[in-house]
Amino acid sequence: MKNLSAFLFSILDKFMRFIELPTVYLQKKIGVQRMGYLFVAPNMVLFSLFVFLPVGLAIAYAFTGGTNMLIWDRPFIGFENFSRLLNCGSYMDPASCEFDLFWTAIHNTWWYTLLNATGTLVMALITAVVLNRLTKGKALFRSIFFYPVLLSPVVVGLIWKWFLARDGLLNSLVLDLGGERTIFLLEVWWSRFWVVYVSIWFHMGFFTLIILAGLQAIPRDIYEAAKVDGTSEWRQFWRITLPLLTPNLLVVAVLLLIRSVQVFDEAWVLTDGGGPGTANTFIVQFIYQTAFSSEVRLYGLASAASVLMGLALLALTLIQVWLAKKAEY
């Protein structure tokens, strides 16, 4: 056994020496300060290939027309796609717009983002505070709350679709309690409620862990000093916990904003494509349908909608960061 360990160790040592030679040579050639760029280069190549290149292509497609897929076969039309999307009598009335479905999707995305981001942030904060106070079973409950995050969005949508179906488990419970059967996913307000609820249930665990990490990083000495001064727990939460959690809450708010605007998978599966009607049609679904599932595939229009969504997300994120920094000062 000792001979085998020595043999394996010698092989590993030779391998490390073999790797060391080109590394030392490169270090001498380009300098120690530039070695970091060399290590980052492979990741940057992949990042450029799968992020920067698609973003650049989307921007390029947004200024072209026609139905051809290859960009060199598409005519340049300038800002026409943007003007068509923004052509409205009143932005508050989607029916007055040239592309009413686009503005219906924006309105739906707006209310969904407001409710989902607020609800998830509040529930994640409450859950993290409760978990942070537990003395036993903290790891178990943390795993339970995080488990839904590990599921596929399609699986989540299918599970809840079965649960909320006309003959599903929820209706069975309602009937057993003497209530009336409700077709939850075919009524506008019920379907909207469940889309938001399922999203909060699905994503809350991830954001709970971020906030919990922030809570555990707060020194206990601060709370002990506050108790000595006779500060109530509620006042400790408002004066100590929330201010010190600001960096974590900012991260959660930005991620929630981006994730909410980009909602698609679970909502698409849960509502059978954004139903009833267009009650749960969101902006990413509009982009997908316009580019890939409509009879006439308008790649330029879908790309223009993507660019507008990206600009809106950038603006909202910058506003959030500015407000957070202003609150700190």
Side-chain angles (χ1 to χ4, degrees), residues 292-305:
F292 301 111
S293 66
S294 60
E295 294 183 5
V296 180
R297 298 186 176 183
L298 303 175
Y299 302 112
L301 203 69
S303 297

Side-chain angles (χ1 to χ4, degrees), residues 66-84:
T67 57
N68 294 322
M69 177 175 286
L70 299 178
I71 193 167
W72 48 81
D73 293 332
R74 301 173 60 81
F76 178 78
I77 59 173
F79 290 91
E80 183 178 329
N81 287 321
F82 295 96
S83 63
R84 292 177 67 188

Side-chain angles (χ1 to χ4, degrees), residues 190-207:
W190 270 119
S191 65
R192 288 178 170 176
F193 167 81
W194 285 112
V195 166
V196 174
Y197 180 87
V198 169
S199 181
I200 294 174
W201 174 85
F202 183 27
H203 299 294
M204 186 186 72
F206 173 73
F207 299 108

Side-chain angles (χ1 to χ4, degrees), residues 86-100 103:
L86 299 175
N87 182 21
C88 279
S90 171
Y91 293 120
M92 300 304 296
D93 180 17
S96 67
C97 303
E98 181 177 350
F99 280 91
D100 56 335
W103 286 97

Side-chain angles (χ1 to χ4, degrees), residues 7-73:
F7 175 71
L8 292 175
F9 180 79
S10 64
I11 292 177
L12 181 61
D13 182 61
K14 291 178 180 179
F15 178 72
M16 295 303 296
R17 288 179 181 275
F18 176 76
I19 293 177
E20 184 182 9
L21 291 175
T23 305
V24 172
Y25 175 78
L26 285 172
Q27 184 174 323
K28 289 179 180 179
K29 285 292 183 181
I30 65 176
V32 178
Q33 299 295 332
R34 297 177 181 174
M35 284 297 291
Y37 296 106
L38 185 65
F39 292 125
V40 172
N43 285 331
M44 288 305 299
V45 169
L46 293 175
F47 195 78
S48 300
L49 185 62
F50 293 105
V51 177
F52 291 140
L53 180 60
V55 169
L57 286 173
I59 295 173
Y61 269 88
F63 295 95
T64 62
T67 57
N68 294 322
M69 177 175 286
L70 299 178
I71 193 167
W72 48 81
D73 293 332

